[in-house]
């Protein structure tokens, strides 16, 4: 549908590319001409045309090995999509220290590890871009999401600081802030709810558009930020949330 090949000749690495938003992004970048490698802790679902590299973003050695292998196989790296992440539920009273450290380790330090390993390769690119996946949880106070929100706020701040550090090297850094997106992640969340249909309806009702965000719609925003066509865009957070952050609607019919 895009009809563009703006990624022709470019090499991309997508973390968390085995599922959901990462998978949709890998597929879209490939359709637009990129050679794509996926880094994921679970590569069982990753098939042609993607190169699959198994790594856990909490393990620096496995991240370095996977990024080196991906850049070697692709002949370099132009685009890093830092997307792997996990959720957490509860108030500030509900998550113990170990869970805080683990979710911060995956969602924040994980992105740092992958970026650190990728930067030497990105510096050799004429069209270098990093896109981090943050969340509406970074900018809106959502109930029962204190730990997850803290990690995604950190991702948005990390994005701005990285954009400043690397702009003069020609490396752009941006993030996307998806609203509730229809991915296997949300499927798992709904399965655990006492009444999955009611929970889904509540999540949909929270969206001004009245529906969840599509993984392909988040992928479209990531591709926009990563594209060489967006060479003047760095240090931005692009909401892909069906209007949830910015709009204040009156009740339907009022
Ligand atoms: P998903 O669970 O469908 O996919 C996440 C992928 O990350 C999986 O393939 C998983 O194996 C991988 N992963 C998890 N931990 C990893 C680790 N330690 N090392 C390497 N890979 C790991 O989830 P999704 O909904 O596609 O979420 C992708 C990103 O989007 C996450 O960062 C999430 O926080 C963010 N996000 C999701 C939503 C949503 O509603 N789905 C909304 C806003 C932001």
């Amino acid at each position: 549908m895009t009809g563009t090949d703006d990624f022709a000749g470019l090499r991309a690495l997508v973390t968390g590319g085995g599922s959901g938003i990462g998978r949709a992004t890998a597929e879209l970048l490939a359709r637009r001409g990129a050679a794509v490698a996926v880094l994921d802790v679970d590569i069982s679902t990753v098939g042609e045309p993607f190169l699959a590299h198994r790594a856990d973003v909490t393990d620096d050695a496995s991240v370095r090995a996977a990024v080196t292998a991906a850049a070697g196989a692709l002949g370099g790296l132009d685009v890093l999509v830092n997307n792997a992440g996990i959720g957490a539920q509860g108030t500030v009273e509900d998550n113990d220290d170990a869970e805080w450290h683990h979710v911060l380790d995956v969602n924040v330090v994980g992105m740092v590890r992958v970026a650190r390993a990728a930067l030497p390769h990105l510096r050799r690119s004429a069209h270098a871009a990093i896109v981090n996946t943050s969340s509406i949880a970074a900018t809106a106070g959502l109930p029962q999401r204190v730990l997850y929100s803290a990690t995604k706020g950190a991702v948005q701040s990390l994005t701005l600081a990285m954009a400043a550090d690397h702009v003069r090297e020609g490396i752009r850094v941006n993030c996307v802030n998806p609203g509730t997106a229809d991915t296997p992640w949300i499927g798992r969340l709904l399965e655990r709810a006492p009444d999955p249909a009611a929970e889904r309806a509540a999540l949909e009702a929270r969206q001004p558009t009245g529906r969840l965000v599509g993984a392909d719609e988040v992928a479209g925003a990531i591709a926009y930020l990563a594209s060489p066509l967006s060479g003047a865009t760095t240090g931005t957070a692009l909401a892909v949330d069906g209007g949830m952050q910015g709009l204040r609607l009156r009740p339907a019919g009022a």
Side-chain angles (χ1 to χ4, degrees), residues 153-191:
V155 169
Q156 183 162 334
S157 299
L158 175 82
T159 300
L160 295 177
M162 284 179 62
D165 283 337
H166 303 296
V167 64
R168 290 187 176 141
E169 301 181 309
I171 302 171
R172 299 183 299 105
V173 188
N174 295 285
C175 66
V176 285
N177 291 14
T180 308
D182 206 351
T183 69
W185 168 321
I186 294 300
R188 292 191 294 272
L189 200 89
L190 294 179
E191 275 168 22

PDB file of all heavy atoms in Angstrom, residues 153-191:
ATOM      1  N   GLY A 153       8.597   6.159  30.591  1.00  0.00           N
ATOM      2  CA  GLY A 153       9.041   7.544  30.749  1.00  0.00           C
ATOM      3  C   GLY A 153      10.543   7.639  30.580  1.00  0.00           C
ATOM      4  O   GLY A 153      11.062   8.570  29.939  1.00  0.00           O
ATOM      5  N   ALA A 154      11.250   6.657  31.129  1.00  0.00           N
ATOM      6  CA  ALA A 154      12.708   6.629  30.981  1.00  0.00           C
ATOM      7  C   ALA A 154      13.093   6.473  29.507  1.00  0.00           C
ATOM      8  O   ALA A 154      14.053   7.105  29.042  1.00  0.00           O
ATOM      9  CB  ALA A 154      13.301   5.498  31.816  1.00  0.00           C
ATOM     10  N   VAL A 155      12.349   5.669  28.775  1.00  0.00           N
ATOM     11  CA  VAL A 155      12.662   5.485  27.341  1.00  0.00           C
ATOM     12  C   VAL A 155      12.499   6.807  26.585  1.00  0.00           C
ATOM     13  O   VAL A 155      13.322   7.163  25.732  1.00  0.00           O
ATOM     14  CB  VAL A 155      11.776   4.382  26.721  1.00  0.00           C
ATOM     15  CG1 VAL A 155      11.901   4.374  25.193  1.00  0.00           C
ATOM     16  CG2 VAL A 155      12.142   3.016  27.292  1.00  0.00           C
ATOM     17  N   GLN A 156      11.453   7.563  26.927  1.00  0.00           N
ATOM     18  CA  GLN A 156      11.264   8.842  26.222  1.00  0.00           C
ATOM     19  C   GLN A 156      12.406   9.813  26.552  1.00  0.00           C
ATOM     20  O   GLN A 156      12.946  10.477  25.648  1.00  0.00           O
ATOM     21  CB  GLN A 156       9.911   9.458  26.589  1.00  0.00           C
ATOM     22  CG  GLN A 156       9.650  10.746  25.816  1.00  0.00           C
ATOM     23  CD  GLN A 156       8.199  11.162  25.787  1.00  0.00           C
ATOM     24  OE1 GLN A 156       7.301  10.341  25.909  1.00  0.00           O
ATOM     25  NE2 GLN A 156       7.955  12.444  25.604  1.00  0.00           N
ATOM     26  N   SER A 157      12.824   9.885  27.815  1.00  0.00           N
ATOM     27  CA  SER A 157      13.929  10.767  28.188  1.00  0.00           C
ATOM     28  C   SER A 157      15.244  10.294  27.586  1.00  0.00           C
ATOM     29  O   SER A 157      16.061  11.105  27.118  1.00  0.00           O
ATOM     30  CB  SER A 157      14.067  10.822  29.714  1.00  0.00           C
ATOM     31  OG  SER A 157      12.893  11.319  30.288  1.00  0.00           O
ATOM     32  N   LEU A 158      15.435   8.989  27.588  1.00  0.00           N
ATOM     33  CA  LEU A 158      16.625   8.396  26.958  1.00  0.00           C
ATOM     34  C   LEU A 158      16.695   8.792  25.488  1.00  0.00           C
ATOM     35  O   LEU A 158      17.769   9.138  24.961  1.00  0.00           O
ATOM     36  CB  LEU A 158      16.528   6.866  27.088  1.00  0.00           C
ATOM     37  CG  LEU A 158      17.565   5.993  26.416  1.00  0.00           C
ATOM     38  CD1 LEU A 158      18.804   5.905  27.288  1.00  0.00           C
ATOM     39  CD2 LEU A 158      17.013   4.577  26.195  1.00  0.00           C
ATOM     40  N   THR A 159      15.538   8.773  24.839  1.00  0.00           N
ATOM     41  CA  THR A 159      15.470   9.105  23.410  1.00  0.00           C
ATOM     42  C   THR A 159      15.958  10.543  23.175  1.00  0.00           C
ATOM     43  O   THR A 159      16.764  10.794  22.262  1.00  0.00           O
ATOM     44  CB  THR A 159      14.022   8.946  22.912  1.00  0.00           C
ATOM     45  OG1 THR A 159      13.619   7.591  23.112  1.00  0.00           O
ATOM     46  CG2 THR A 159      13.893   9.321  21.450  1.00  0.00           C
ATOM     47  N   LEU A 160      15.469  11.466  23.997  1.00  0.00           N
ATOM     48  CA  LEU A 160      15.861  12.876  23.818  1.00  0.00           C
ATOM     49  C   LEU A 160      17.354  13.058  24.047  1.00  0.00           C
ATOM     50  O   LEU A 160      18.041  13.756  23.277  1.00  0.00           O
ATOM     51  CB  LEU A 160      15.074  13.764  24.788  1.00  0.00           C
ATOM     52  CG  LEU A 160      13.563  13.831  24.561  1.00  0.00           C
ATOM     53  CD1 LEU A 160      12.903  14.678  25.641  1.00  0.00           C
ATOM     54  CD2 LEU A 160      13.255  14.389  23.182  1.00  0.00           C
ATOM     55  N   ALA A 161      17.872  12.453  25.118  1.00  0.00           N
ATOM     56  CA  ALA A 161      19.294  12.620  25.436  1.00  0.00           C
ATOM     57  C   ALA A 161      20.169  11.973  24.363  1.00  0.00           C
ATOM     58  O   ALA A 161      21.192  12.543  23.950  1.00  0.00           O
ATOM     59  CB  ALA A 161      19.589  12.033  26.812  1.00  0.00           C
ATOM     60  N   MET A 162      19.762  10.804  23.881  1.00  0.00           N
ATOM     61  CA  MET A 162      20.534  10.158  22.811  1.00  0.00           C
ATOM     62  C   MET A 162      20.485  10.990  21.536  1.00  0.00           C
ATOM     63  O   MET A 162      21.492  11.095  20.813  1.00  0.00           O
ATOM     64  CB  MET A 162      19.963   8.759  22.525  1.00  0.00           C
ATOM     65  CG  MET A 162      20.333   7.724  23.571  1.00  0.00           C
ATOM     66  SD  MET A 162      19.611   6.112  23.171  1.00  0.00           S
ATOM     67  CE  MET A 162      20.407   5.751  21.618  1.00  0.00           C
ATOM     68  N   ALA A 163      19.333  11.586  21.258  1.00  0.00           N
ATOM     69  CA  ALA A 163      19.228  12.416  20.047  1.00  0.00           C
ATOM     70  C   ALA A 163      20.225  13.570  20.115  1.00  0.00           C
ATOM     71  O   ALA A 163      20.869  13.915  19.114  1.00  0.00           O
ATOM     72  CB  ALA A 163      17.798  12.934  19.900  1.00  0.00           C
ATOM     73  N   ALA A 164      20.362  14.155  21.311  1.00  0.00           N
ATOM     74  CA  ALA A 164      21.317  15.262  21.476  1.00  0.00           C
ATOM     75  C   ALA A 164      22.756  14.773  21.318  1.00  0.00           C
ATOM     76  O   ALA A 164      23.583  15.422  20.665  1.00  0.00           O
ATOM     77  CB  ALA A 164      21.129  15.903  22.852  1.00  0.00           C
ATOM     78  N   ASP A 165      23.048  13.627  21.904  1.00  0.00           N
ATOM     79  CA  ASP A 165      24.426  13.117  21.866  1.00  0.00           C
ATOM     80  C   ASP A 165      24.881  12.767  20.450  1.00  0.00           C
ATOM     81  O   ASP A 165      26.059  12.883  20.129  1.00  0.00           O
ATOM     82  CB  ASP A 165      24.549  11.849  22.735  1.00  0.00           C
ATOM     83  CG  ASP A 165      24.603  12.167  24.217  1.00  0.00           C
ATOM     84  OD1 ASP A 165      24.974  13.306  24.571  1.00  0.00           O
ATOM     85  OD2 ASP A 165      24.269  11.273  25.018  1.00  0.00           O
ATOM     86  N   HIS A 166      23.962  12.303  19.619  1.00  0.00           N
ATOM     87  CA  HIS A 166      24.392  11.713  18.348  1.00  0.00           C
ATOM     88  C   HIS A 166      23.992  12.509  17.115  1.00  0.00           C
ATOM     89  O   HIS A 166      24.306  12.114  16.000  1.00  0.00           O
ATOM     90  CB  HIS A 166      23.882  10.268  18.264  1.00  0.00           C
ATOM     91  CG  HIS A 166      24.361   9.441  19.428  1.00  0.00           C
ATOM     92  ND1 HIS A 166      25.702   9.176  19.635  1.00  0.00           N
ATOM     93  CD2 HIS A 166      23.705   8.903  20.474  1.00  0.00           C
ATOM     94  CE1 HIS A 166      25.843   8.479  20.757  1.00  0.00           C
ATOM     95  NE2 HIS A 166      24.641   8.305  21.283  1.00  0.00           N
ATOM     96  N   VAL A 167      23.340  13.664  17.314  1.00  0.00           N
ATOM     97  CA  VAL A 167      22.879  14.431  16.146  1.00  0.00           C
ATOM     98  C   VAL A 167      24.058  14.881  15.273  1.00  0.00           C
ATOM     99  O   VAL A 167      23.969  14.865  14.042  1.00  0.00           O
ATOM    100  CB  VAL A 167      21.991  15.629  16.579  1.00  0.00           C
ATOM    101  CG1 VAL A 167      22.748  16.660  17.400  1.00  0.00           C
ATOM    102  CG2 VAL A 167      21.337  16.278  15.367  1.00  0.00           C
ATOM    103  N   ARG A 168      25.157  15.235  15.895  1.00  0.00           N
ATOM    104  CA  ARG A 168      26.288  15.725  15.089  1.00  0.00           C
ATOM    105  C   ARG A 168      27.063  14.596  14.421  1.00  0.00           C
ATOM    106  O   ARG A 168      27.943  14.856  13.608  1.00  0.00           O
ATOM    107  CB  ARG A 168      27.195  16.607  15.944  1.00  0.00           C
ATOM    108  CG  ARG A 168      26.494  17.919  16.273  1.00  0.00           C
ATOM    109  CD  ARG A 168      27.400  18.909  16.974  1.00  0.00           C
ATOM    110  NE  ARG A 168      26.687  20.159  17.159  1.00  0.00           N
ATOM    111  CZ  ARG A 168      26.758  20.933  18.230  1.00  0.00           C
ATOM    112  NH1 ARG A 168      27.553  20.598  19.235  1.00  0.00           N
ATOM    113  NH2 ARG A 168      26.083  22.045  18.312  1.00  0.00           N
ATOM    114  N   GLU A 169      26.725  13.364  14.800  1.00  0.00           N
ATOM    115  CA  GLU A 169      27.312  12.208  14.105  1.00  0.00           C
ATOM    116  C   GLU A 169      26.408  11.766  12.959  1.00  0.00           C
ATOM    117  O   GLU A 169      26.686  10.757  12.307  1.00  0.00           O
ATOM    118  CB  GLU A 169      27.463  11.027  15.061  1.00  0.00           C
ATOM    119  CG  GLU A 169      28.330  11.316  16.261  1.00  0.00           C
ATOM    120  CD  GLU A 169      28.461  10.095  17.162  1.00  0.00           C
ATOM    121  OE1 GLU A 169      27.431   9.492  17.533  1.00  0.00           O
ATOM    122  OE2 GLU A 169      29.609   9.755  17.475  1.00  0.00           O
ATOM    123  N   GLY A 170      25.289  12.466  12.787  1.00  0.00           N
ATOM    124  CA  GLY A 170      24.362  12.103  11.714  1.00  0.00           C
ATOM    125  C   GLY A 170      23.457  10.945  12.075  1.00  0.00           C
ATOM    126  O   GLY A 170      22.897  10.282  11.188  1.00  0.00           O
ATOM    127  N   ILE A 171      23.290  10.681  13.368  1.00  0.00           N
ATOM    128  CA  ILE A 171      22.401   9.593  13.794  1.00  0.00           C
ATOM    129  C   ILE A 171      21.167  10.207  14.432  1.00  0.00           C
ATOM    130  O   ILE A 171      21.250  10.922  15.433  1.00  0.00           O
ATOM    131  CB  ILE A 171      23.107   8.662  14.814  1.00  0.00           C
ATOM    132  CG1 ILE A 171      24.387   8.083  14.208  1.00  0.00           C
ATOM    133  CG2 ILE A 171      22.154   7.546  15.265  1.00  0.00           C
ATOM    134  CD1 ILE A 171      25.270   7.330  15.200  1.00  0.00           C
ATOM    135  N   ARG A 172      20.012   9.965  13.836  1.00  0.00           N
ATOM    136  CA  ARG A 172      18.752  10.489  14.382  1.00  0.00           C
ATOM    137  C   ARG A 172      18.179   9.497  15.398  1.00  0.00           C
ATOM    138  O   ARG A 172      18.295   8.289  15.209  1.00  0.00           O
ATOM    139  CB  ARG A 172      17.748  10.717  13.265  1.00  0.00           C
ATOM    140  CG  ARG A 172      18.212  11.737  12.223  1.00  0.00           C
ATOM    141  CD  ARG A 172      17.157  11.991  11.149  1.00  0.00           C
ATOM    142  NE  ARG A 172      16.802  10.804  10.392  1.00  0.00           N
ATOM    143  CZ  ARG A 172      15.679  10.125  10.534  1.00  0.00           C
ATOM    144  NH1 ARG A 172      14.748  10.525  11.394  1.00  0.00           N
ATOM    145  NH2 ARG A 172      15.431   9.049   9.806  1.00  0.00           N
ATOM    146  N   VAL A 173      17.575  10.038  16.458  1.00  0.00           N
ATOM    147  CA  VAL A 173      16.977   9.170  17.487  1.00  0.00           C
ATOM    148  C   VAL A 173      15.594   9.713  17.834  1.00  0.00           C
ATOM    149  O   VAL A 173      15.456  10.883  18.222  1.00  0.00           O
ATOM    150  CB  VAL A 173      17.840   9.106  18.762  1.00  0.00           C
ATOM    151  CG1 VAL A 173      17.284   8.055  19.726  1.00  0.00           C
ATOM    152  CG2 VAL A 173      19.302   8.792  18.435  1.00  0.00           C
ATOM    153  N   ASN A 174      14.583   8.883  17.669  1.00  0.00           N
ATOM    154  CA  ASN A 174      13.194   9.259  17.955  1.00  0.00           C
ATOM    155  C   ASN A 174      12.517   8.100  18.673  1.00  0.00           C
ATOM    156  O   ASN A 174      13.053   6.984  18.732  1.00  0.00           O
ATOM    157  CB  ASN A 174      12.439   9.550  16.648  1.00  0.00           C
ATOM    158  CG  ASN A 174      12.991  10.764  15.918  1.00  0.00           C
ATOM    159  OD1 ASN A 174      12.756  11.895  16.328  1.00  0.00           O
ATOM    160  ND2 ASN A 174      13.740  10.539  14.841  1.00  0.00           N
ATOM    161  N   CYS A 175      11.306   8.371  19.197  1.00  0.00           N
ATOM    162  CA  CYS A 175      10.537   7.249  19.747  1.00  0.00           C
ATOM    163  C   CYS A 175       9.080   7.333  19.298  1.00  0.00           C
ATOM    164  O   CYS A 175       8.592   8.397  18.902  1.00  0.00           O
ATOM    165  CB  CYS A 175      10.631   7.179  21.269  1.00  0.00           C
ATOM    166  SG  CYS A 175       9.891   8.532  22.196  1.00  0.00           S
ATOM    167  N   VAL A 176       8.426   6.184  19.342  1.00  0.00           N
ATOM    168  CA  VAL A 176       6.968   6.132  19.134  1.00  0.00           C
ATOM    169  C   VAL A 176       6.312   5.860  20.479  1.00  0.00           C
ATOM    170  O   VAL A 176       6.852   5.139  21.315  1.00  0.00           O
ATOM    171  CB  VAL A 176       6.531   5.035  18.132  1.00  0.00           C
ATOM    172  CG1 VAL A 176       6.849   5.439  16.724  1.00  0.00           C
ATOM    173  CG2 VAL A 176       7.123   3.678  18.476  1.00  0.00           C
ATOM    174  N   ASN A 177       5.133   6.460  20.669  1.00  0.00           N
ATOM    175  CA  ASN A 177       4.368   6.254  21.899  1.00  0.00           C
ATOM    176  C   ASN A 177       3.016   5.636  21.544  1.00  0.00           C
ATOM    177  O   ASN A 177       2.014   6.355  21.371  1.00  0.00           O
ATOM    178  CB  ASN A 177       4.168   7.587  22.632  1.00  0.00           C
ATOM    179  CG  ASN A 177       5.463   8.142  23.207  1.00  0.00           C
ATOM    180  OD1 ASN A 177       6.555   7.690  22.855  1.00  0.00           O
ATOM    181  ND2 ASN A 177       5.360   9.106  24.086  1.00  0.00           N
ATOM    182  N   PRO A 178       2.976   4.304  21.417  1.00  0.00           N
ATOM    183  CA  PRO A 178       1.699   3.673  21.054  1.00  0.00           C
ATOM    184  C   PRO A 178       0.705   3.710  22.212  1.00  0.00           C
ATOM    185  O   PRO A 178       1.081   3.644  23.382  1.00  0.00           O
ATOM    186  CB  PRO A 178       2.091   2.215  20.764  1.00  0.00           C
ATOM    187  CG  PRO A 178       3.580   2.185  20.666  1.00  0.00           C
ATOM    188  CD  PRO A 178       4.069   3.321  21.503  1.00  0.00           C
ATOM    189  N   GLY A 179      -0.570   3.808  21.854  1.00  0.00           N
ATOM    190  CA  GLY A 179      -1.638   3.512  22.804  1.00  0.00           C
ATOM    191  C   GLY A 179      -1.825   2.009  22.845  1.00  0.00           C
ATOM    192  O   GLY A 179      -1.003   1.250  22.304  1.00  0.00           O
ATOM    193  N   THR A 180      -2.907   1.553  23.464  1.00  0.00           N
ATOM    194  CA  THR A 180      -3.123   0.106  23.588  1.00  0.00           C
ATOM    195  C   THR A 180      -3.235  -0.509  22.196  1.00  0.00           C
ATOM    196  O   THR A 180      -4.131  -0.167  21.429  1.00  0.00           O
ATOM    197  CB  THR A 180      -4.409  -0.172  24.396  1.00  0.00           C
ATOM    198  OG1 THR A 180      -4.323   0.571  25.615  1.00  0.00           O
ATOM    199  CG2 THR A 180      -4.527  -1.641  24.715  1.00  0.00           C
ATOM    200  N   ALA A 181      -2.292  -1.392  21.897  1.00  0.00           N
ATOM    201  CA  ALA A 181      -2.196  -1.934  20.540  1.00  0.00           C
ATOM    202  C   ALA A 181      -2.577  -3.403  20.543  1.00  0.00           C
ATOM    203  O   ALA A 181      -2.257  -4.146  21.477  1.00  0.00           O
ATOM    204  CB  ALA A 181      -0.771  -1.751  20.017  1.00  0.00           C
ATOM    205  N   ASP A 182      -3.255  -3.803  19.486  1.00  0.00           N
ATOM    206  CA  ASP A 182      -3.796  -5.156  19.380  1.00  0.00           C
ATOM    207  C   ASP A 182      -2.686  -6.132  18.996  1.00  0.00           C
ATOM    208  O   ASP A 182      -2.482  -6.440  17.827  1.00  0.00           O
ATOM    209  CB  ASP A 182      -4.901  -5.148  18.311  1.00  0.00           C
ATOM    210  CG  ASP A 182      -5.897  -6.250  18.557  1.00  0.00           C
ATOM    211  OD1 ASP A 182      -5.641  -7.091  19.432  1.00  0.00           O
ATOM    212  OD2 ASP A 182      -6.933  -6.254  17.875  1.00  0.00           O
ATOM    213  N   THR A 183      -1.931  -6.591  19.992  1.00  0.00           N
ATOM    214  CA  THR A 183      -0.813  -7.511  19.753  1.00  0.00           C
ATOM    215  C   THR A 183      -0.985  -8.723  20.672  1.00  0.00           C
ATOM    216  O   THR A 183      -1.822  -8.709  21.576  1.00  0.00           O
ATOM    217  CB  THR A 183       0.541  -6.839  20.092  1.00  0.00           C
ATOM    218  OG1 THR A 183       0.593  -6.665  21.517  1.00  0.00           O
ATOM    219  CG2 THR A 183       0.701  -5.502  19.403  1.00  0.00           C
ATOM    220  N   PRO A 184      -0.158  -9.769  20.490  1.00  0.00           N
ATOM    221  CA  PRO A 184      -0.238 -10.924  21.405  1.00  0.00           C
ATOM    222  C   PRO A 184      -0.105 -10.515  22.869  1.00  0.00           C
ATOM    223  O   PRO A 184      -0.685 -11.140  23.754  1.00  0.00           O
ATOM    224  CB  PRO A 184       0.940 -11.797  20.952  1.00  0.00           C
ATOM    225  CG  PRO A 184       1.064 -11.500  19.495  1.00  0.00           C
ATOM    226  CD  PRO A 184       0.762 -10.023  19.374  1.00  0.00           C
ATOM    227  N   TRP A 185       0.638  -9.437  23.130  1.00  0.00           N
ATOM    228  CA  TRP A 185       0.797  -8.925  24.505  1.00  0.00           C
ATOM    229  C   TRP A 185      -0.579  -8.615  25.121  1.00  0.00           C
ATOM    230  O   TRP A 185      -0.895  -9.035  26.223  1.00  0.00           O
ATOM    231  CB  TRP A 185       1.654  -7.682  24.409  1.00  0.00           C
ATOM    232  CG  TRP A 185       1.776  -6.792  25.600  1.00  0.00           C
ATOM    233  CD1 TRP A 185       0.803  -6.437  26.494  1.00  0.00           C
ATOM    234  CD2 TRP A 185       2.959  -6.136  26.017  1.00  0.00           C
ATOM    235  NE1 TRP A 185       1.319  -5.577  27.422  1.00  0.00           N
ATOM    236  CE2 TRP A 185       2.644  -5.367  27.145  1.00  0.00           C
ATOM    237  CE3 TRP A 185       4.257  -6.089  25.510  1.00  0.00           C
ATOM    238  CZ2 TRP A 185       3.566  -4.580  27.789  1.00  0.00           C
ATOM    239  CZ3 TRP A 185       5.169  -5.305  26.161  1.00  0.00           C
ATOM    240  CH2 TRP A 185       4.847  -4.569  27.277  1.00  0.00           C
ATOM    241  N   ILE A 186      -1.381  -7.847  24.382  1.00  0.00           N
ATOM    242  CA  ILE A 186      -2.700  -7.475  24.896  1.00  0.00           C
ATOM    243  C   ILE A 186      -3.595  -8.709  24.954  1.00  0.00           C
ATOM    244  O   ILE A 186      -4.407  -8.868  25.858  1.00  0.00           O
ATOM    245  CB  ILE A 186      -3.319  -6.351  24.033  1.00  0.00           C
ATOM    246  CG1 ILE A 186      -2.484  -5.066  24.195  1.00  0.00           C
ATOM    247  CG2 ILE A 186      -4.774  -6.088  24.390  1.00  0.00           C
ATOM    248  CD1 ILE A 186      -2.421  -4.544  25.646  1.00  0.00           C
ATOM    249  N   GLY A 187      -3.398  -9.634  24.006  1.00  0.00           N
ATOM    250  CA  GLY A 187      -4.135 -10.899  24.046  1.00  0.00           C
ATOM    251  C   GLY A 187      -3.888 -11.616  25.367  1.00  0.00           C
ATOM    252  O   GLY A 187      -4.835 -12.102  26.005  1.00  0.00           O
ATOM    253  N   ARG A 188      -2.620 -11.654  25.807  1.00  0.00           N
ATOM    254  CA  ARG A 188      -2.288 -12.337  27.074  1.00  0.00           C
ATOM    255  C   ARG A 188      -2.924 -11.611  28.251  1.00  0.00           C
ATOM    256  O   ARG A 188      -3.427 -12.228  29.190  1.00  0.00           O
ATOM    257  CB  ARG A 188      -0.759 -12.390  27.251  1.00  0.00           C
ATOM    258  CG  ARG A 188      -0.034 -13.292  26.257  1.00  0.00           C
ATOM    259  CD  ARG A 188       1.419 -13.490  26.658  1.00  0.00           C
ATOM    260  NE  ARG A 188       2.216 -12.281  26.592  1.00  0.00           N
ATOM    261  CZ  ARG A 188       2.861 -11.833  25.515  1.00  0.00           C
ATOM    262  NH1 ARG A 188       2.773 -12.507  24.375  1.00  0.00           N
ATOM    263  NH2 ARG A 188       3.570 -10.735  25.553  1.00  0.00           N
ATOM    264  N   LEU A 189      -2.908 -10.268  28.180  1.00  0.00           N
ATOM    265  CA  LEU A 189      -3.501  -9.455  29.251  1.00  0.00           C
ATOM    266  C   LEU A 189      -5.001  -9.731  29.367  1.00  0.00           C
ATOM    267  O   LEU A 189      -5.537  -9.899  30.465  1.00  0.00           O
ATOM    268  CB  LEU A 189      -3.259  -7.978  28.915  1.00  0.00           C
ATOM    269  CG  LEU A 189      -3.352  -6.973  30.021  1.00  0.00           C
ATOM    270  CD1 LEU A 189      -1.975  -6.817  30.673  1.00  0.00           C
ATOM    271  CD2 LEU A 189      -3.776  -5.620  29.457  1.00  0.00           C
ATOM    272  N   LEU A 190      -5.664  -9.795  28.212  1.00  0.00           N
ATOM    273  CA  LEU A 190      -7.112 -10.040  28.213  1.00  0.00           C
ATOM    274  C   LEU A 190      -7.432 -11.436  28.734  1.00  0.00           C
ATOM    275  O   LEU A 190      -8.401 -11.625  29.471  1.00  0.00           O
ATOM    276  CB  LEU A 190      -7.679  -9.848  26.797  1.00  0.00           C
ATOM    277  CG  LEU A 190      -7.631  -8.423  26.243  1.00  0.00           C
ATOM    278  CD1 LEU A 190      -8.200  -8.379  24.828  1.00  0.00           C
ATOM    279  CD2 LEU A 190      -8.394  -7.452  27.138  1.00  0.00           C
ATOM    280  N   GLU A 191      -6.592 -12.423  28.367  1.00  0.00           N
ATOM    281  CA  GLU A 191      -6.832 -13.795  28.836  1.00  0.00           C
ATOM    282  C   GLU A 191      -6.833 -13.877  30.356  1.00  0.00           C
ATOM    283  O   GLU A 191      -7.547 -14.690  30.941  1.00  0.00           O
ATOM    284  CB  GLU A 191      -5.723 -14.731  28.314  1.00  0.00           C
ATOM    285  CG  GLU A 191      -5.963 -15.259  26.922  1.00  0.00           C
ATOM    286  CD  GLU A 191      -4.704 -15.921  26.357  1.00  0.00           C
ATOM    287  OE1 GLU A 191      -3.826 -16.336  27.148  1.00  0.00           O
ATOM    288  OE2 GLU A 191      -4.606 -15.988  25.119  1.00  0.00           O
TER     289      GLU A 191
END
